[in-house]
Amino acid sequence: MWVDKMCRLYEGSAVRQVTGDSIRPGGFQLTDRALEICAPAPGAAILDVGCGTGATVEYLIEKYNYKAVGIDPSEVLLAQGRQRRPDLPISQARGEDLPFKGGEMDCVFAECTLSVTEHPDAVLKECHRVLKDKGHLVVSDLYIKNRELTAELRKLPLASCITGATTRNELEKKLGKAGFKLIFWEDHTDLLKQLVFKIIMSYGSMNNFWQQAGAESFDCCCVQGIIKRARPGYFLLVAQKQWERS
């Protein structure tokens, strides 16, 4: 039910009318930035977890000639991607159960998707399993700066990345537990602010946007107040696989 609820937001047109098929703040800007840090070898195997319509997979293949593949739980989004490009190597799967052999990937991307997974610890464990030794995990996502609001965010009637956002400290603990070492962190909250501005300019208000996106009816002022007090930001991180799990 969690997955279905999350997928419905991104399967609709309300979000993509603002973000395009990348469905995240900044589009491919942070994809390029991450590749500058990781510097994968030509032809490297790259997995995009939560690929949606496969926009990043297509971008990595066409611009960089990487051996990119993607998985997503939404067959609706995958079908839209295949309609755009029938030969896209994208398939239906969840981040908690990746359909790849251990040590198969040079790099794994989770662009604005870790926060919308039901079990982020299990997703990180799977990312660790499919990566080669010293392989790179790239995550761009929302985070919050006020840990005290975590529980209230989880209860919000919104199926989106804000409800699954955590603090930088908590995320670093999760990465360490999964066998990763954080080697790069960069704040890109300006991209999140730009996206919110575009949404308001497109829909008139955040309340109108959520209604168009099919969210349940809720007290917008109360929800916005909780989100504001959580102090959300946006980040790009690169972590490196450090040890084999038993």
Side-chain angles (χ1 to χ4, degrees):
M1 181 173 289
W2 169 279
V3 173
D4 292 342
K5 204 171 179 180
M6 283 294 179
C7 287
R8 278 198 295 273
L9 171 65
Y10 301 103
E11 288 169 352
S13 60
V15 176
R16 279 182 286 159
Q17 282 183 6
V18 180
T19 65
D21 280 333
S22 66
I23 321 182
R24 59 181 180 272
F28 298 117
Q29 179 179 334
L30 297 190
T31 305
D32 292 330
R33 178 67 173 144
L35 292 172
E36 290 176 9
I37 307 302
C38 300
I46 300 180
L47 167 64
D48 184 19
V49 176
C51 67
T53 68
T56 292
V57 173
E58 187 174 3
Y59 185 73
L60 292 172
I61 292 172
E62 290 194 347
K63 181 173 180 179
Y64 293 98
N65 201 30
Y66 287 128
K67 193 170 72 173
V69 295
I71 64 98
D72 197 279
S74 170
E75 187 54 44
V76 172
L77 290 173
L78 293 170
Q80 291 174 7
R82 295 189 191 104
Q83 189 173 29
R84 186 181 69 245
R85 179 169 168 167
D87 64 341
L88 266 184
I90 53 178
S91 58
Q92 189 175 31
R94 296 180 59 183
E96 292 90 341
D97 186 18
L98 297 174
F100 303 100
K101 298 177 182 176
E104 193 172 343
M105 299 293 165
D106 295 286
C107 190
V108 174
F109 277 70
E111 295 176 306
C112 221
T113 55
L114 190 62
S115 61
V116 298
T117 58
E118 188 171 5
H119 305 290
D121 290 323
V123 174
L124 289 174
K125 181 179 178 181
E126 275 293 90
C127 291
H128 186 279
R129 181 184 65 79
V130 302
L131 275 170
K132 297 176 181 177
D133 187 35
K134 304 296 183 184
H136 291 106
L137 171 67
V138 173
V139 181
S140 56
D141 217 324
L142 266 70
Y143 74 114
I144 57 172
K145 298 168 187 173
N146 184 356
R147 184 177 181 275
E148 302 296 319
L149 270 291
T150 302
E152 290 191 60
L153 287 175
R154 299 291 183 270
K155 298 175 186 174
L156 292 181
L158 305 173
S160 74
C161 44
I162 187 60
T163 54
T166 187
T167 64
R168 174 177 176 173
N169 187 48
E170 288 297 317
L171 185 54
E172 287 190 32
K173 287 180 181 176
K174 289 180 180 294
L175 289 169
K177 183 180 177 183
F180 289 102
K181 179 182 179 182
L182 180 67
I183 60 174
F184 179 82
W185 174 287
E186 200 166 59
D187 187 275
H188 287 278
T189 302
D190 57 325
L191 295 177
L192 179 62
K193 292 178 178 176
Q194 290 171 22
L195 178 59
V196 171
F197 178 76
K198 288 174 67 176
I199 289 174
I200 293 173
M201 292 300 292
S202 297
Y203 291 93
S205 70
M206 289 303 295
N207 188 40
N208 288 344
F209 165 72
W210 285 114
Q211 296 302 315
Q212 289 292 320
E216 301 171 7
S217 180
F218 58 84
D219 183 339
C220 190
C221 289
C222 177
V223 169
Q224 292 299 332
I226 293 172
I227 293 174
K228 185 176 181 181
R229 285 189 288 130
R231 298 169 57 205
Y234 196 68
F235 69 88
L236 168 68
L237 74 77
V238 178
Q240 191 171 43
K241 179 175 178 176
Q242 292 297 299
W243 41 265
E244 289 295 339
R245 299 181 64 92
S246 58

